[in-house]
Amino acid sequence: MELAKGGVRWALPVVVYVCCCLVFLLNLNSSNGVEASHNVFMHLQSLSAVNVRKEHRTGYHFQPTKHWINDPNGPMYFNGVYHLFYQYNPKGAVWGNIVWAHSVSKDLINWEKVEHAIYPSKPFDKYGCWSGSATVLPGNKPVILYTGIVDDKNSQVQNYAVPANLSDPYLREWIKPDNNPLIVSDPSINATFFRDPTTAWLGKDGHWRITIGGRRNRRGISYLYRSRDFVHWVKAKHALHTSAGTGNWECPDFFPVSVSGTNGLDTSVVGPNVKHVLKVSLDATRFEYYTLGSYEKDRYTPDPDMIDGWNGLRYDYGNFYASKSFFDPSKNRRILWGWANESDSTDKDIKKGWAGVQLIPRTLTLDPSGKQLLQWPVEEVENLRKNKVELSNKILNKGETVEIKGITAAQSDVDVTFSFGSLDKAEPFDPSWDRYDAQKLCGQKGSTVEGGLGPFGILTLASQNLEEYTPVFFRVFKDQDKYQVLMCSDASRSSASVDKTKMDDGKDAYRPSFAGFVNVDLNEKKLSLRSLIDNSVVESFGAGGKTCITSRVYPALALYGNAHLYAFNNGSETVKIDSLNAWSMSKPVKMNH
Ligand SMILES: *[C@@H]1O[C@H](CO)[C@@H](O)[C@H](O)[C@H]1NC(C)=O
Ligand SMILES: *[C@@H]1O[C@H](CO)[C@@H](O)[C@H](O)[C@H]1NC(C)=O
Ligand SMILES: *[C@@H]1O[C@H](CO)[C@@H](O)[C@H](O)[C@H]1NC(C)=O
Ligand SMILES: *[C@H]1O[C@@H](CO)[C@H](O)[C@@H](O)[C@@H]1NC(C)=O
């Protein structure tokens, strides 16, 4: 069957499928140090939510009405409609029974639920339908590639699915043709680490390429496959890329970025003004890293100054995983979707009746330095803004806080630029500190530890008397001849409750002091911060999107109208709020209900 060259007959029977994907738990005690273990709760997988708890549900982030979600799958723009598929358990609030749920949107903000797109049923996916990607082939024909599980040992193959009716604007029905699987592992591949095919790109030779994640011993691998017709795939002799000691790679994403502008590029674009990005999700650590580099002769080579391993650059230093990007031809941009899991326990998720959100899609561009990417919430989210409040030239002396009044702080968008008169008071960066462990440093030097230049920033989801708050802030250090800017999103004081019956008890919650360094020029003595605050989500963008951190928090007091927003300074250097704009955020009219 020819897929890529037109004349395809999609007239295959439509069947109902039920899919799954696995969630892994970190287990660093195994012999090779990078083994992941399955976090599977067999007895809870089909425990349907009786009551859905509203508390802590998001107002404008993507969330189905109930139950578990994980990876965003196959995002694409097709005939005026954005499609988002995602791993979903229709039967419960923990991972299991996974299907490819499907929602459609015209603006990336309002979403309408349609039928589940893919479910297991056939020998090539009977034990699960895991993550994958969409490619729009010439002739305007979308095709999904996804990982199918063929046995109870989690052996993985790659399958495809096509729309049943290309005239249906929402592409509600998908067909898995009988010539699946398209790709099976060869003896050099461990079939239990062979998953998550990317969007395909077309080489000048007319052959399609995809990459698939895996590992050999401790080496993370991104396998490369080629095909002329999208049906017959041959593994390239060399992987697209590998990196020692990183463990299993999930959800690889590989795409070009423009070095000469901010337009996004279609996945097949190559040329002199193009750099490539390879992102991988690390199964063992549950975070992602990316490198920028060059792509030649079907090999990807990170630039020499890139860190190609656990200390590499991250899209986000918080709850953000299994991300995937796509090119949006309607606005010439590349958009990134990431999944945020919950930070509470499985038990709490079952009581809530839901788990997981998709974060606000982000536009991805190359920083003018060429050394990192910039991320910014898609402009459409600004349509939800209302009740604007402004503040400017407001001095914050040491120990001062100022409340930003007039918005619903629990569901808001805040964009602030701070300035300071001097860098002299930056604290010395102790050479014994781990330069790659910003999170540890934030744990030691949180908002309550007075500093020199910083900590200053905002207190999100704060109760009136600051019994609880999630501070997002900067702290500047002097490190020999340069400055290190630490950005923190610290969940450690996010909930005042120690009541075990509440959603947010202090005992078993995961409340990390997430942090990253911001590679920013301080010549202008300014630092900017934007946060999208949404009941239990705080998604922050430092210095125009150079460093991003997402926290999931469960306030006990700062709920709905009882949430407050403050700006603060706890450093001896006076800082000024140059400008601050904040808005209440409306609920989208349509959100998957
Ligand atoms: C395909 O979709 C179009 C538009 O929704 C519809 O009019 C048509 O009946 C569909 N065709 C089939 C075979 O279902
Ligand atoms: C694949 O990896 C798993 C997990 O490390 C291991 O148990 C299994 O033996 C490996 N399979 C092969 C064929 O090497
Ligand atoms: C600022 O520091 C003081 C002294 O350590 C502390 O009591 C206060 O909570 C800090 N403010 C914030 C917002 O963390
Ligand atoms: C999200 O949940 C926390 C708390 O349970 C875990 O520590 C993280 O590993 C997990 N992240 C992912 C991507 O699964």
Side-chain angles (χ1 to χ4, degrees), residues 23-26 39 68 70-71 250 282-288 318-322 339-346 349 508-512 514 552 554:
V23 179
F24 297 95
L25 262 193
L26 181 57
N39 182 7
W68 166 274
N70 56 297
D71 313 5
E250 302 189 290
L282 298 173
D283 200 355
T285 62
R286 309 304 288 170
F287 62 74
E288 311 189 307
N319 288 64
F320 187 97
Y321 196 69
W339 160 58
N341 69 341
E342 300 299 315
S343 283
D344 58 9
S345 61
T346 297
D349 291 344
D508 59 359
Y510 171 65
R511 295 180 184 177
F514 286 134
R552 295 300 313 280
Y554 309 94

Side-chain angles (χ1 to χ4, degrees), residues 165 167-169:
N165 179 359
S167 308
D168 171 9

Side-chain angles (χ1 to χ4, degrees), residues 163-332:
N165 179 359
L166 281 170
S167 308
D168 171 9
Y170 290 170
L171 304 177
R172 289 180 165 88
E173 286 180 8
W174 290 74
I175 293 167
K176 303 184 294 189
D178 287 334
N179 59 343
N180 274 306
L182 294 184
I183 303 175
V184 298
S185 57
D186 67 26
S188 75
I189 295 173
N190 184 324
T192 64
F193 300 105
F194 185 50
R195 56 178 175 265
D196 307 336
T198 59
T199 295
W201 65 98
L202 187 61
K204 292 221 166 77
D205 57 2
H207 291 240
W208 292 96
R209 275 99 171 139
I210 55 169
T211 185
I212 299 170
R215 70 166 224 209
R216 192 176 305 122
N217 303 319
R218 299 182 61 168
R219 179 173 286 276
I221 303 185
S222 193
Y223 297 105
L224 183 82
Y225 282 78
R226 296 190 195 95
S227 174
R228 180 174 282 285
D229 58 5
F230 225 88
V231 171
H232 302 95
W233 291 87
V234 176
K235 188 170 128 221
K237 204 161 137 211
H238 299 290
L240 177 68
H241 188 57
T242 74
S243 179
T246 52
N248 188 40
W249 285 0
E250 302 189 290
C251 300
D253 197 14
F254 184 62
F255 56 88
V257 285
S258 170
V259 301
S260 56
T262 56
N263 276 352
L265 299 175
D266 186 85
T267 312
S268 300
V269 172
V270 290
N273 288 323
V274 166
K275 262 192 186 303
H276 275 78
V277 177
L278 179 65
K279 182 278 301 186
V280 297
S281 303
L282 298 173
D283 200 355
T285 62
R286 309 304 288 170
F287 62 74
E288 311 189 307
Y289 80 93
Y290 72 89
T291 52
L292 288 156
S294 54
Y295 169 57
E296 268 166 62
K297 301 203 171 94
D298 276 341
R299 290 226 204 190
Y300 169 73
T301 312
D303 288 345
D305 52 353
M306 288 288 136
I307 298 172
D308 188 14
W310 287 13
N311 291 331
L313 292 169
R314 302 193 204 169
Y315 284 155
D316 192 297
Y317 292 82
N319 288 64
F320 187 97
Y321 196 69
S323 71
K324 197 174 280 303
S325 72
F326 72 105
F327 175 64
D328 172 9
S330 74
K331 291 197 173 178
N332 279 314

